[in-house]
Amino acid sequence: MRHSAVSASAPIPYRISRWLLRLATGFYFTRIERFHRERVPRIGPVIFTSNHPNSITDAFVIGTSVPRKVNFVATVQLFRWPLVRWLLTRCGVIPLNRLQDDPRAMRTALETFEACFRVLERGEAIGIFPEGITHDDPQLKTVKTGAARMALELEHRHGGRLGLLIVPVGLTFSAKERYRSDVLVNFGEPIRVAEHLAGYPERKRDCIQRLTSEIERRIKTLILHLPKLERIRLVQAVKGLYLDRLRVGNRVIHEPVPPQVGELMLTQAIARAVDFICDRQPNRAVTFARDLDHYERWLRRLHLTDEELAHFPGKTCLLWRSFGWVLLGVGLFPVAAFGGLHRWLPNRVVGRAIKRFAQLSVNKTHVSTTGILAGLASFSACYGAYIAVFHALFGWPASLWYGLPVASLGAHHYFRQARRFVASVRCMGVLLRAPLAARRLLALRDALIAEIEAARWQVPAEALTLEQPA
């Protein structure tokens, strides 16, 4: 589905910022899959409520994924610098003074609500991350009541006739800290706020809590939510060992869906199956975890990954494929070297920015945001300078062809595939030199897969089905 143009009434700084962010996110991510975008109302007041796994990038992705202007609520800390404050204000960003920003600033919190009310009364959209924090865990944190309080109060002021909708959004990043990864933006069915007004304002607290619980429940259906974080490792291991088999014969997906949506649904089913086995057959889960520890220790000892080992049985095919990659690599090296040379300086700037500002020691939630913003600045400046020099030397239209980013993107994919090729050759060398270790590792892997297969059919189909919103 194509993007619709944002209304011409949107401020020019907003339209320019949106265009630049669409360009930047398009370069940073390989693919942004928007699922059920038809659920987004094109007119009327809307509150988007989303999980918050990736800092400001979450706002970038949502804001460029819907065919209308979205005004986001953001911490007042971002408004400390005059130039940034000017830009954010004109892009529709509304400052919020959170408890951790200033516990005494209750007045400014009320002002935030009133500012949001004015935006929604104009028929525009607001974006809110109701967890209140960004985080690395595949778990939805406790949803705060702010979105529900705002929605119910505004709809009550208008006697239930405003037509305010809450659209839950689930964001899933395949590898948010890695350049050229994938994103899934999963839109849920809209919630009609007027239908939750019964008993308001007599039982205001109960109404707010019920709507908050509904928002939380719906977001959970749109993401991978693991209530017990200690089971993350088991879910990831089962996914790595068994996802391809689930794609062939699954009991979860009964309609055509995009690949990223299918992977999310199967991963959700894996998480529920792991919970079922851990709760009903804890001894079996403990035994599997112990065998998994043993298998992963052997992989670390030989400096291998499960993906590399999985391709080893087809070593004859791998040899021919490797030979083909050598020939292709030699032929494409001049183009890759040309693109890589141009990428070197802006890549260094982005790398230094991530190292200094992304708080890697804390989590990975700021990596993509820092990378996108630093990349937008450094690549624009460097490539602008390159093109200006080339144009001065060779003129038009040679500078147009020179400015196309084909060689730059090609260099990224070339060197990424080259690293994978070197890793597979190293893997083959290790396993061919140690055939007993190879057979032992493959036997351990087969035993783990056989255990997953046996446990799979003991999980009832209803335990694999995620409850969908009414």
Side-chain angles (χ1 to χ4, degrees):
M1 185 186 298
R2 293 180 68 252
H3 282 280
S4 297
V6 176
S7 170
S9 62
I12 291 176
Y14 178 86
R15 283 184 279 164
I16 294 174
S17 299
R18 177 187 166 95
W19 181 83
L20 288 173
L21 288 174
R22 280 188 63 186
L23 185 67
T25 54
F27 271 104
Y28 189 87
F29 297 109
T30 300
R31 179 173 175 77
I32 302 178
E33 179 69 54
R34 290 113 177 160
F35 191 53
H36 282 317
R37 196 164 53 176
E38 73 279 0
R39 293 172 172 172
V40 177
R42 293 180 177 270
I43 58 174
V46 174
I47 299 176
F48 293 96
T49 56
S50 173
N51 62 318
H52 203 9
N54 207 10
S55 188
I56 302 174
T57 299
D58 299 334
F60 296 166
V61 170
I62 294 174
T64 57
S65 293
V66 298
R68 57 185 299 173
K69 179 186 176 185
V70 183
N71 304 269
F72 283 93
V73 177
T75 171
V76 72
Q77 297 294 331
L78 296 176
F79 290 75
R80 288 177 295 179
W81 303 281
L83 181 61
V84 175
R85 181 170 61 249
W86 179 87
L87 179 62
L88 292 177
T89 301
R90 278 150 186 78
C91 289
V93 180
I94 302 169
L96 171 65
N97 206 326
R98 303 170 299 175
L99 185 64
Q100 58 264 44
D101 296 327
D102 185 354
R104 298 167 298 177
M106 185 62 187
R107 183 179 61 84
T108 57
L110 295 175
E111 290 173 355
T112 299
F113 268 49
E114 293 298 330
C116 291
F117 291 164
R118 290 192 292 273
V119 169
L120 293 169
E121 286 170 336
R122 293 198 300 266
E124 295 185 24
I126 294 282
I128 295 177
F129 301 102
E131 294 169 282
I133 57 170
T134 186
H135 56 88
D136 263 339
D137 304 333
Q139 179 190 65
L140 187 70
K141 303 302 181 185
T142 301
V143 169
K144 306 295 191 298
T145 61
R149 284 194 295 129
M150 179 190 302
L152 288 168
E153 178 61 28
L154 181 59
E155 191 66 51
H156 172 67
R157 287 187 184 185
H158 289 264
R161 294 185 296 273
L162 182 63
L164 178 60
L165 299 175
I166 296 176
V167 177
V169 184
L171 296 176
T172 302
F173 294 83
S174 63
K176 58 191 174 186
E177 77 284 0
R178 195 179 70 224
Y179 175 64
R180 303 303 289 169
S181 54
D182 297 328
V183 189
L184 172 63
V185 189
N186 201 356
F187 294 100
E189 287 284 358
I191 302 170
R192 294 192 175 277
V193 177
E195 295 176 359
H196 293 261
L197 272 178
Y200 190 95
E202 295 81 7
R203 298 189 305 277
K204 184 179 293 189
R205 185 186 298 271
D206 291 340
C207 289
I208 291 172
Q209 192 54 56
R210 278 198 303 272
L211 182 54
T212 300
S213 298
E214 182 65 12
I215 294 170
E216 182 172 325
R217 185 177 72 85
R218 295 203 185 199
I219 295 176
K220 285 178 181 177
T221 67
L222 303 172
I223 62 173
L224 175 64
H225 171 68
L226 299 178
K228 297 183 179 178
L229 290 176
E230 65 272 14
R231 295 177 184 173
I232 291 176
R233 180 170 161 271
L234 287 179
V235 172
Q236 291 174 336
V238 172
K239 178 181 177 181
L241 291 164
Y242 204 69
L243 186 63
D244 288 340
R245 287 172 171 79
L246 280 180
R247 285 194 177 104
V248 175
N250 73 84
R251 298 183 284 165
V252 178
I253 304 173
H254 307 294
E255 59 182 346
V257 294
Q260 288 174 273
V261 179
E263 181 172 333
L264 172 62
M265 294 173 69
L266 291 175
T267 307
Q268 289 174 329
I270 288 171
R272 293 190 292 276
V274 167
D275 283 340
F276 181 89
I277 295 297
C278 288
D279 294 337
R280 305 292 181 86
Q281 303 176 28
N283 291 335
R284 186 175 197 172
V286 169
T287 301
F288 180 84
R290 185 189 63 220
D291 293 342
L292 178 65
D293 281 337
H294 185 53
Y295 172 67
E296 291 180 342
R297 277 199 304 271
W298 270 94
L299 287 177
R300 287 194 297 271
R301 186 177 301 176
L302 295 176
H303 304 288
L304 300 175
T305 66
D306 178 73
E307 183 182 4
E308 292 167 347
L309 181 65
H311 290 101
F312 180 71
K315 49 184 175 293
T316 303
C317 176
L318 188 60
L319 282 170
W320 281 109
R321 193 185 307 166
S322 300
F323 181 68
W325 271 111
V326 169
L327 294 179
L328 188 63
V330 170
L332 293 179
F333 180 76
V335 176
F338 176 79
L341 182 64
H342 285 73
R343 291 172 57 85
W344 181 83
L345 180 58
N347 269 343
R348 291 277 293 178
V349 173
V350 172
R352 286 184 174 275
I354 289 174
K355 188 174 181 180
R356 180 171 181 180
F357 300 111
Q359 302 175 358
L360 286 172
S361 60
V362 180
N363 55 46
K364 301 174 183 176
T365 57
H366 300 282
V367 173
S368 63
T369 300
T370 306
I372 288 171
L373 296 178
L376 187 62
S378 63
F379 275 84
S380 298
C382 291
Y383 276 72
Y386 299 157
I387 293 171
V389 171
F390 194 87
H391 181 75
L393 294 175
F394 301 102
W396 193 268
S399 56
L400 172 65
W401 293 103
Y402 172 79
L404 295 176
V406 175
S408 178
L409 288 174
H412 166 74
H413 290 288
Y414 177 93
F415 290 115
R416 186 169 72 173
Q417 292 297 332
R419 286 191 293 271
R420 290 181 177 177
F421 169 68
V422 170
S424 65
V425 170
R426 180 184 57 77
C427 167
M428 195 182 325
V430 169
L431 296 178
L432 288 176
R433 287 199 311 270
L436 290 177
R439 286 197 290 272
R440 182 184 181 93
L441 269 174
L442 288 169
L444 288 172
R445 189 176 192 276
D446 290 342
L448 288 170
I449 292 174
E451 174 60 19
I452 296 170
E453 179 74 19
R456 172 191 174 191
W457 297 106
Q458 295 183 16
V459 180
E462 57 269 20
L464 301 176
T465 305
L466 187 66
E467 181 187 1
Q468 296 296 323

